[in-house]
């Protein structure tokens, strides 16, 4: 490879000398390339026709190249995947000149619908269209994450939660940025019912980028994925409002001189959806989120940005009874519980950030960021239940019973409190060394102060006997107590170089970087080298090849530090393990994209194979969405698989995609047992499909379907050393029907009542179309012999949702 690079360099040098010898004067052609909407286009190939002289545009659409000023005409060729090729003739080139070019999307007209191809990407980040969420059937209430889970390598087995797993990792291994700032979520949440709204407001979102692995050094210390969100900077007054059975939202954006702002208010209540669960209860969830993003240009070169968020999630739950029919057709069973008591939870978070950005010139930019996060979390419940498990009549769907198996009762109690404060300050910068080389860097310091108070226990009895029995004494079956305080500082820095160049073989993009961090709590310093490369061959510019590798450490946060020990009275006490070190994942990823046209439509096929070597694992178990860590680096393992995505116009004029993922992940715990990772899904098939009603382009159907393998689960508080089995496969289809009442160039929009509106949509969703019982977790019954038996906790059933949205 080195020899080839030397030969290519010598060819360039020889050619340059030859050209210079013909005429000593060389001139520069430079300019910007933009699309039809005025947006800069990156990675446009700019070449002199008939020669190997060429370059590529940077992220701002800028290019620059030098040619021989021979007085003859020069033809420049501009080409990029997804755009029509363009040529510009310069009749007499004798001095430096600027040449700006506008490129049009590759498109064709189909019954007044313009269909465009897809933009090129050479790095490991994939773009998403947040605008699809407006008509996407989403039980979680409209979140960016609901679209991400349809992408290859990403999965979710809980429609009530915005959490997702990427290539075998858990949700804590994913990092989320909004406008370059890492955002956090509450820590005590243990079920999807409690979770509320995602931090990201889709209405305020302009750009979404996601990577399932192999991401750059500028992104923080997580092992699985990165989600990078950029909020809007409106150019004029705009806004939207929506209402549905799931809640309501409103958004307004404006611009006045040097000032812009976007503000969004969301309210969610999934009371109607929770009514489809097996537990008959009084559900009173209440989730509210207020966000604002403001920018002000202090001078032509200096800009100040502010991002603020207030989120209040209340979850009140008063259960009455539950009846769950489970088992097989030949051996059906019914589990019945009568409850007393209630649960009251409150999660309040506040986030604020200020950014100052100074643009020295088009090649140099740097800035400073400060942010603060506060979370106050309370979880309180006292719930008693009397249950019986019986053999049901074969073939029953209503729970007719034949004979009892177990009877018993339980009492669950918790008074949990967690207060967390995270403050962050850092500097960042970017310097464009030349047209194909950009250097980026950042330094950051983070202060954490967390107070954790946990007091929870559970008692059980079976057939009148309290469990467990220890002679004449009676103990609770489980308890957990903590009184911990964590105060620490983290420091991190990164530097990375983005280098793009062209050879006679094609266009290359290389991103190499180094990231380091130090945590004063466990005195650990880690270094993470990362590199990725992309290549577009000249012989076939519809093909893009990519490769990435690197070290991805995940320093522990408060939750990972928890380790449980027993005191002299047998109580389980949570302590913080100061010796716990970072988990490590070494990524190896290879793949590519191939774009093509078939039956007069645009398509793209993407595929990646990956292998992740995992060391110093902190094992964990998952119950619903609650993750319980061992608190020790006592395992090692791996994750390997292949992700495929077929993206295109399955129906003319409408983009859809099908994602297929196959994987295998294993961990060896304490050097003795080898078991699957908790998110070892084995297979995942997801579909996003869009269609129009025949003869009516205003009526749209959106379908989201998921079929994924079951996940390994263990008995709570027992760990992987005892017993595990897999849940049944997760199968779900949500479908939405949307009708555009008004929008575009309709005559109706000229009427006074509609004149100020851009679009008006009316829709109806059918969640869980086939009413499939999906298992998310288990309730474990304890018999008189202290043996535990699982009863499935089913997720939500079929439910209708009506919605109305307006854009102005």
């Amino acid at each position: 490879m080195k020899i080839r690079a030397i030969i290519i360099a010598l060819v360039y040098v020889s050619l340059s000398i030859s050209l210079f010898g013909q005429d000593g004067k060389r001139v520069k052609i430079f300019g910007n390339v933009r699309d039809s909407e005025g947006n800069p286009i990156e990675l446009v190939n700019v070449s002199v026709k008939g020669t190997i002289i060429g370059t590529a545009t940077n992220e701002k659409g800028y290019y620059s190249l030098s040619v021989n000023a021979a007085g003859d005409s020069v033809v420049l060729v501009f080409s990029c995947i997804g755009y029509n090729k363009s040529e510009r003739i310069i009749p007499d080139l004798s001095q430096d000149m600027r040449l700006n070019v506008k490129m049009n999307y590759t498109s064709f007209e189909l019954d007044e619908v313009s269909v465009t191809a897809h933009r090129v990407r050479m790095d490991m980040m994939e773009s998403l269209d947040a605008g699809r969420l407006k008509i996407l059937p989403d039980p979680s209430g409209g979140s960016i994450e609901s679209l991400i889970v349809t992408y290859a390598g990403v999965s979710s087995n809980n429609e009530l939660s915005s959490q997702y797993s990427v290539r075998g990792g858990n949700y804590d291994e994913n990092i989320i940025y909004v406008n370059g700032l890492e955002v956090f979520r509450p820590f005590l949440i243990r079920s999807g019912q409690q979770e509320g709204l995602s931090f990201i407001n889709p209405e305020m979102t302009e750009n979404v980028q996601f990577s399932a692995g192999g991401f750059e050094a500028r992104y923080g210390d997580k092992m699985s994925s990165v989600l990078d969100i950029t909020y809007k900077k409106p150019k004029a007054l705009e806004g939207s409002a929506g209402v549905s059975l799931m809640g309501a939202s409103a958004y307004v954006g404006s611009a006045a001189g040097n000032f812009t702002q976007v503000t969004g208010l969301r309210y969610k209540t999934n009371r109607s959806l929770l009514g489809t669960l097996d537990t008959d209860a009084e559900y009173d969830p209440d989730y509210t989120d207020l966000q604002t993003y403001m920018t002000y240009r202090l001078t032509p070169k200096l800009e100040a940005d502010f991002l603020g968020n207030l989120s209040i999630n209340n979850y009140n739950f008063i259960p009455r009874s539950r009846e769950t029919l489970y088992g097989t057709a030949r051996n059906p069973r019914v589990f019945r519980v009568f409850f007393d008591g209630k649960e009251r939870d409150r999660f309040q978070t506040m986030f604020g950030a200020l950014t100052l950005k100074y643009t020295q010139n088009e090649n140099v930019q740097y800035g400073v960021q400060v942010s603060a996060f506060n979370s106050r979390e309370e979880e309180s419940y006292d719930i008693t239940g009397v249950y019986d498990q019986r053999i049901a009549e074969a073939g029953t769907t209503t729970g007719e019973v034949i004979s009892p198996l177990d009877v018993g009762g339980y009492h669950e109690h918790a008074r949990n409190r967690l207060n967390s404060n995270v403050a962050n300050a850092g500097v960042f910068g970017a310097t464009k060394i030349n047209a194909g080389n950009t250097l980026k860097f950042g330094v950051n310091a983070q202060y954490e102060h967390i107070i954790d108070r946990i007091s929870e226990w559970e008692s059980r009895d079976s057939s009148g006997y309290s469990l467990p029995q220890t002679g004449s004494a009676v103990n609770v079956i489980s308890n957990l107590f903590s009184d911990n305080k964590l105060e620490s500082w983290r420091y991190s820095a990164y530097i990375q170089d983005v280098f793009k160049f062209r050879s006679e073989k094609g266009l290359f993009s290389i991103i190499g970087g180094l990231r380091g961090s130090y945590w004063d709590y466990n005195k650990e310093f880690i270094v993470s080298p990362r590199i990725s490369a992309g290549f577009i061959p000249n012989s076939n510019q519809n093909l893009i090849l990519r490769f990435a590798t690197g070290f991805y450490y995940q320093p522990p946060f408060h939750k990972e530090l928890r380790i449980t020990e027993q005191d002299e009275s047998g109580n389980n006490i949570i302590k913080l393990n100061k010796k716990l070190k970072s988990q490590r994942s070494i990524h190896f990823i290879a793949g590519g994209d191939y774009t093509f046209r078939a039956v007069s439509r645009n398509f793209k096929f993407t595929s990646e194979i990956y292998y992740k070597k995992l060391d110093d694992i902190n094992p964990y178990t998952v119950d619903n969405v609650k993750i319980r860590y061992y608190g020790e680096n006592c395992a090692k393992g791996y994750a390997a698989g292949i992700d495929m995505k077929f993206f295109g116009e399955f129906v003319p004029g409408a983009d859809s995609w099908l994602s297929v993922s196959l994987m295998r992940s294993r961990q060896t715990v304490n050097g003795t047992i080898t078991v699957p990772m908790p998110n070892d899904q084995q297979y995942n098939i997801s579909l996003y499909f869009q269609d129009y009603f025949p003869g009516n382009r205003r009526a749209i159907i959106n379908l989201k379907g998921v079929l994924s393998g079951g996940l390994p689960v263990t008995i709570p508080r027992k760990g992987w050393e005892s017993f595990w089995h897999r849940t049944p496969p997760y199968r779900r289809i949500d479908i939405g029907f949307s009708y555009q009442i008004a929008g575009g160039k309709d005559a109706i929009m000229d009427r006074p009542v509609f004149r100020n509106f851009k679009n008006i949509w009316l829709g109806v969703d059918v969640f869980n179309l086939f009413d499939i019982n999906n298992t998310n977790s288990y309730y474990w019954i304890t018999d008189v012999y202290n043996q535990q038996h699982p009863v499935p906790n089913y997720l939500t059933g079929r439910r209708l949702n009506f919605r109305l949205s307006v854009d102005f």
Side-chain angles (χ1 to χ4, degrees):
M1 190 65 184
K2 290 182 178 179
I3 295 175
R4 174 178 290 183
I6 293 172
I7 294 173
I8 292 172
L10 291 174
V11 170
Y12 270 106
V13 171
S14 300
L15 180 62
S16 300
I17 293 174
S18 175
L19 289 172
F20 186 82
Q22 296 173 15
D23 189 340
K25 183 179 179 182
R26 296 182 64 80
V27 297
K28 183 172 72 171
I29 307 174
F30 61 97
N32 292 87
V33 182
R34 299 182 180 274
D35 61 21
S36 58
E37 299 173 354
N39 300 311
I41 309 175
E42 186 182 8
L43 297 176
V44 176
N45 299 320
V46 185
S47 60
V48 178
K49 191 172 184 178
T51 74
I52 63 170
I53 300 173
T55 185
T57 58
N58 62 13
E59 66 274 5
K60 296 181 179 180
Y62 178 82
Y63 74 94
S64 175
L65 52 79
S66 296
V67 299
N68 181 45
D72 299 328
S73 64
V74 174
V75 180
L76 291 187
V77 180
F78 298 81
S79 61
C80 183
I81 296 176
Y83 296 86
N84 294 319
K85 182 181 290 187
S86 178
E87 292 188 1
R88 295 292 187 271
I89 300 175
I90 305 174
D92 184 11
L93 185 62
S94 58
Q95 60 184 358
D96 293 353
M97 71 172 295
R98 172 183 286 273
L99 179 62
N100 295 329
V101 176
K102 183 175 74 172
M103 299 184 68
N104 295 317
Y105 296 107
T106 301
S107 63
F108 63 95
E109 299 297 321
L110 180 67
D111 295 340
E112 300 179 351
V113 177
S114 178
V115 181
T116 62
H118 317 294
R119 292 191 176 186
V120 62
R121 67 180 182 104
M122 295 184 69
D123 56 16
M124 305 304 293
M125 303 296 289
E126 187 169 8
S127 296
L128 288 81
D129 181 7
R132 299 180 185 275
L133 293 171
K134 190 174 293 294
I135 54 176
L136 179 72
D138 178 20
S140 67
S143 65
I144 296 290
E145 292 87 344
S146 65
L147 195 61
I148 289 175
V149 298
T150 64
Y151 275 49
V154 188
S155 62
S156 172
N157 280 34
N158 190 338
E159 66 274 4
L160 292 172
S161 172
S162 60
Q163 299 187 27
Y164 53 90
S165 168
V166 178
R167 292 176 175 171
N170 67 40
Y171 184 72
D172 292 340
E173 298 173 15
N174 307 319
I175 193 166
I176 298 177
Y177 287 90
V178 175
N179 290 352
L181 299 156
E182 183 181 357
V183 297
F184 302 89
R185 68 183 185 93
F187 303 102
L188 282 181
I189 288 176
R190 56 187 171 82
S191 69
Q193 293 93 311
Q194 300 171 308
E195 191 169 302
L197 289 157
S198 163
F199 181 96
I200 306 164
N201 188 325
E203 297 289 345
M204 298 170 60
T205 299
E206 180 178 54
N207 184 45
V208 182
Q209 290 194 308
F210 175 78
S211 173
F215 43 90
E216 303 165 19
R218 64 190 174 104
Y219 294 116
D221 295 305
K222 296 288 186 177
M223 294 198 300
S224 288
S225 75
V226 59
L227 176 61
D228 192 357
I229 305 294
T230 303
Y231 277 174
K232 298 176 181 178
K233 291 183 180 180
K235 298 179 181 179
L237 179 64
E238 63 179 44
S240 66
V243 62
S244 75
L245 297 181
M246 303 285 292
S249 64
Y251 152 79
V252 64
S254 63
N258 295 329
F259 176 76
T260 71
Q261 68 83 30
V262 289
T263 301
L265 176 65
R266 294 178 292 167
Y267 171 77
K268 173 185 170 183
T269 175
N270 54 4
R271 185 182 295 107
S272 63
L273 194 61
L274 296 178
T276 65
L277 298 173
D278 282 348
T279 299
D280 176 32
E282 181 180 332
Y283 295 97
D284 186 19
D286 185 352
Y287 314 120
T288 306
D289 177 270
L290 174 65
Q291 288 192 46
T292 186
Y293 174 56
M294 305 177 183
T295 72
Y296 185 77
R297 188 165 293 278
L298 300 168
T299 70
K301 294 185 176 183
L302 181 63
E303 180 181 275
D305 301 346
F306 173 76
L307 175 64
N309 169 254
L310 171 63
S311 177
I312 301 175
N313 297 335
N314 295 309
Y315 178 71
N316 298 317
F317 171 58
I318 304 177
R320 290 188 286 264
S321 64
R322 165 181 172 172
E323 180 173 295
T324 301
L325 183 65
Y326 67 106
T328 63
R330 292 186 177 183
N331 185 27
R333 297 189 176 189
V334 62
F335 177 65
R336 290 172 176 165
V337 189
F338 296 94
F339 297 101
D340 188 22
K342 63 182 179 180
E343 176 177 352
R344 297 186 64 181
D345 306 325
R346 181 179 176 86
F347 306 95
Q348 176 181 299
T349 62
M350 292 184 291
F351 179 82
L354 179 65
T355 303
L356 292 175
K357 289 186 288 187
Y358 181 76
T359 305
Q360 183 173 324
N361 51 55
E362 65 179 8
N363 296 325
V364 179
Q365 183 187 74
Y366 45 88
V368 60
Q369 289 179 328
V370 292
S371 66
F373 169 81
N374 171 264
S375 176
R376 300 176 65 86
E377 306 174 36
E378 301 176 1
E379 183 183 46
S380 303
Y381 56 82
D382 266 296
I383 297 176
T384 61
V386 177
Y387 67 82
D388 67 80
Q389 181 188 208
R390 299 170 181 263
I391 299 175
E393 184 176 348
T396 183
T397 59
T398 57
E400 294 87 354
V401 298
I402 296 177
S403 60
L405 290 176
D406 295 304
V407 294
Y410 66 88
H411 183 181
E412 296 178 339
H413 166 92
R415 295 291 185 271
N416 300 331
R417 304 289 185 269
L418 188 143
N419 296 333
S420 59
N421 293 279
V422 180
N424 193 295
V427 296
F428 62 91
T431 301
K432 186 172 68 174
I433 300 174
N434 54 51
N437 192 5
T438 302
L439 188 69
K440 298 180 180 181
F441 65 89
V443 180
N444 191 76
Q446 180 169 296
Y447 170 76
E448 300 162 5
H449 182 263
I450 299 174
I451 300 175
D452 184 15
R453 306 282 188 267
I454 290 180
S455 175
E456 60 182 54
W457 51 263
E458 179 182 359
S459 64
R460 293 188 187 180
D461 71 75
S462 180
S463 301
Y465 294 92
S466 294
L467 300 172
Q469 300 181 52
T470 55
S472 59
V474 178
N475 298 318
V476 295
I477 195 168
S478 68
N479 62 18
L480 198 62
F481 301 98
S482 78
D483 186 2
N484 293 312
K485 178 180 178 181
L486 173 65
E487 190 170 6
S488 65
W489 282 90
R490 299 177 193 262
Y491 306 93
S492 62
Y494 74 87
I495 184 169
Q496 72 175 43
D497 193 14
V498 182
F499 184 51
K500 299 172 184 176
F501 64 94
R502 174 180 295 280
S503 74
E504 77 277 7
K505 296 296 184 181
L507 178 63
F508 290 85
S509 175
I510 299 175
I511 304 176
L514 190 67
R515 184 178 188 87
S517 63
Y518 174 77
W519 192 25
D520 67 357
Y521 186 77
N522 63 359
K523 312 300 182 185
E524 182 186 31
F525 177 73
I526 54 177
V527 178
S528 304
R530 305 173 188 178
I531 187 170
S532 63
F535 172 62
I536 302 177
N538 285 333
S539 58
N540 186 355
Q541 294 193 13
N542 292 324
L543 177 66
I544 304 174
L545 301 176
R546 291 186 300 273
F547 174 78
T549 186
F551 286 68
Y552 294 83
Y553 287 91
Q554 181 156 328
F557 204 70
H558 173 262
K559 186 164 60 174
E560 291 95 318
L561 291 171
R562 293 173 170 176
I563 186 170
T564 304
E565 300 177 354
Q566 283 195 343
D567 63 10
E568 296 178 353
S569 302
N571 296 312
N572 294 311
I573 309 298
I574 295 177
K575 296 184 178 180
L576 303 182
N577 182 9
K578 294 191 69 171
K579 297 181 180 180
L580 187 69
K581 301 299 181 182
S582 299
Q583 303 179 81
R584 187 182 72 176
S585 176
I586 305 176
H587 292 194
F588 300 94
I589 303 170
D593 301 340
Y594 180 68
T595 58
F596 60 96
R597 287 178 62 83
V599 292
S600 299
R601 306 174 200 170
N602 296 309
F603 294 94
K604 180 172 72 172
F605 177 73
T606 299
S607 179
E608 288 185 350
I609 58 174
Y610 63 90
Y611 178 83
K612 298 194 291 188
K613 184 178 183 298
L614 308 174
D615 300 300
D616 294 326
I617 297 176
N618 184 358
Y620 60 92
T621 59
V622 180
D623 184 15
N624 202 304
V625 300
K626 188 175 184 65
I627 301 174
R628 293 186 182 272
Y629 290 92
Y630 278 41
E632 299 177 286
N633 301 112
C634 59
K636 61 180 180 180
Y638 71 90
I642 181 171
D643 297 329
M644 295 168 286
K645 180 182 175 184
F646 186 46
F647 187 108
E649 300 159 39
F650 301 166
V651 174
D655 287 337
S656 305
W657 59 83
L658 173 68
S659 300
V660 178
S661 298
L662 304 174
M663 69 161 296
R664 176 184 172 89
S665 63
R666 291 292 184 271
Q667 60 180 344
T668 301
V669 182
N670 290 320
T672 57
I673 60 169
T674 300
V675 294
M677 300 287 288
N679 286 290
D680 177 54
Q681 198 126 43
Q682 295 184 318
Y683 64 89
N684 185 73
I685 303 172
S686 56
L687 171 69
Y688 174 80
F689 181 77
Q690 187 177 201
D691 195 4
Y692 297 92
F693 278 92
N696 190 347
R697 293 283 175 178
R698 293 182 176 278
I700 300 176
I701 302 174
N702 284 271
L703 182 146
K704 186 176 77 169
V706 177
L707 170 63
S708 57
L711 297 177
V713 295
T714 64
I715 299 175
R717 298 171 293 274
K718 296 294 184 180
W720 294 99
E721 292 83 358
S722 58
F723 166 82
W724 68 271
H725 75 107
R726 288 187 182 271
T727 62
Y730 182 83
R731 301 156 295 164
R732 185 181 178 94
I733 292 179
D734 299 319
I735 190 169
F737 303 89
S738 302
Y739 184 79
Q740 188 182 31
I741 299 174
K745 300 179 181 179
D746 304 332
I748 192 175
M749 300 302 288
D750 293 329
R751 299 178 183 178
V753 68
F754 294 114
R755 192 165 295 165
N756 294 320
F757 296 108
K758 294 179 181 178
N759 293 289
I760 302 177
W761 289 92
L762 181 66
V764 58
D765 302 320
V766 184
F767 299 138
N768 198 354
L769 179 63
F770 297 113
D771 200 25
I772 298 172
N773 285 331
N774 287 305
T775 301
N776 173 251
S777 60
Y778 291 90
Y779 181 78
W780 295 82
I781 300 173
T782 306
D783 61 23
V784 69
Y785 302 105
N786 207 26
Q787 299 297 311
Q788 294 186 309
H789 309 279
V791 176
N793 295 320
Y794 294 130
L795 288 164
T796 58
R798 185 190 297 118
R799 181 63 76 188
L800 286 175
N801 178 52
F802 298 92
R803 51 185 163 80
L804 172 67
S805 64
V806 178
D807 299 326
F808 62 87

